[in-house]
Amino acid sequence: MNANQFIKAVSQLQGWRECAFLLALAERSFPNYALFADAVGLKTGAKMRQLLDISWDLLQDDSGEATIPQLLVKLEGLSPDVEAYDAYGVYPAFDFCQLLEQALLNRLNPSRHRASDASRLATATVVSFIEVSEGDELDNDELVRLLDHHPLIKEDKAFQRDLVLSLKRQRTPTESFIEKLRGDAVNGGVSNLGIALGD
């Protein structure tokens, strides 16, 4: 699947597939939130984990949709204010919150396509992290080369591509399929930035 095919495939996601795509992107970036919350002494990691778990449960349970507005309010309360922190970690943490928000909003308003923007946001989180951590001394050409060959970018692309392919092939959101999808997204607790909760 080349870049154009990928973009087209993401733009065609709808219904439960789009929601699962958004949740998987959020799941992959959850450690970025948890580590940031931990680092600055916010006691919100466990609450956010619970919110993400509830969001996954909603994928197979339409009866929970009435609770989504409350979940969105909770999410807003747990989201960090990027202006309030000097630490770079607030940005990937906030990006995670935006991904989870898109997944919840997808359930409220499934007719509005959100997966393409979310896909770009997830990749932008990785690009920005590499620029900050490794790109300081580089000129534009060197930075482009660094990003082109960076293992984190390659992993992000592979993860998103495999995610779209498995969603396209799957007819219904069976419990075993969602469990596997979620397990792949958890990635042993390693986020899209290559950082793990045990670090």
Side-chain angles (χ1 to χ4, degrees):
M1 183 186 273
N2 67 30
N4 288 338
Q5 289 169 323
F6 170 75
I7 289 164
K8 187 177 176 193
V10 173
S11 73
Q12 290 169 340
L13 291 173
Q14 50 186 289
W16 70 265
R17 288 181 183 84
E18 185 174 19
C19 191
F21 179 79
L22 295 164
L23 282 169
L25 292 182
E27 184 67 66
R28 176 61 65 107
S29 64
F30 172 72
N32 302 337
Y33 177 89
L35 284 165
F36 167 74
D38 204 34
V40 298
L42 292 172
K43 302 268 188 280
T44 53
K47 286 180 187 155
M48 189 63 93
R49 176 69 261 173
Q50 195 182 11
L51 195 54
L52 185 52
D53 292 344
I54 291 167
S55 305
W56 276 107
D57 293 343
L58 287 174
L59 198 53
Q60 288 162 297
D61 173 23
D62 289 341
S63 65
E65 285 188 9
T67 64
I68 289 175
Q70 295 155 281
L71 296 177
L72 284 162
V73 170
K74 264 189 196 156
L75 176 60
E76 198 181 343
L78 296 171
S79 296
D81 173 5
V82 289
E83 303 294 318
Y85 296 95
D86 274 345
Y88 171 77
V90 72
Y91 297 105
F94 185 70
D95 289 350
F96 158 78
C97 297
Q98 287 184 283
L99 290 169
L100 181 52
E101 181 184 46
Q102 291 306 311
L104 289 169
L105 288 171
N106 170 267
R107 293 305 300 270
L108 278 185
N109 179 8
S111 62
R112 183 172 159 217
H113 180 73
R114 300 171 190 278
S116 298
D117 283 347
S119 168
R120 284 191 291 271
L121 172 64
T123 302
T125 306
V126 181
V127 169
S128 142
F129 175 72
I130 295 167
E131 286 175 346
V132 167
S133 56
E134 299 175 42
D136 245 9
E137 306 292 310
L138 305 180
D139 65 28
N140 270 353
D141 291 346
E142 291 169 328
L143 188 59
V144 168
R145 273 198 299 279
L146 172 69
L147 293 171
D148 274 350
H149 298 102
H150 204 287
L152 288 179
I153 297 281
K154 288 182 174 171
E155 278 168 34
D156 176 65
K157 280 185 180 162
F159 168 64
Q160 291 202 36
R161 189 188 59 230
D162 293 349
L163 185 56
V164 172
L165 285 172
S166 63
L167 286 166
K168 277 173 71 102
R169 286 191 205 111
Q170 184 69 16
R171 295 183 62 157
T172 55
T174 60
E175 204 164 311
S176 60
F177 174 75
I178 296 301
E179 213 165 282
K180 183 183 181 318
L181 197 74
R182 197 174 168 178
D184 291 344
V186 168
N187 194 32
V190 180
S191 84
N192 55 347
L193 304 184
I195 54 179
L197 291 174
D199 287 355

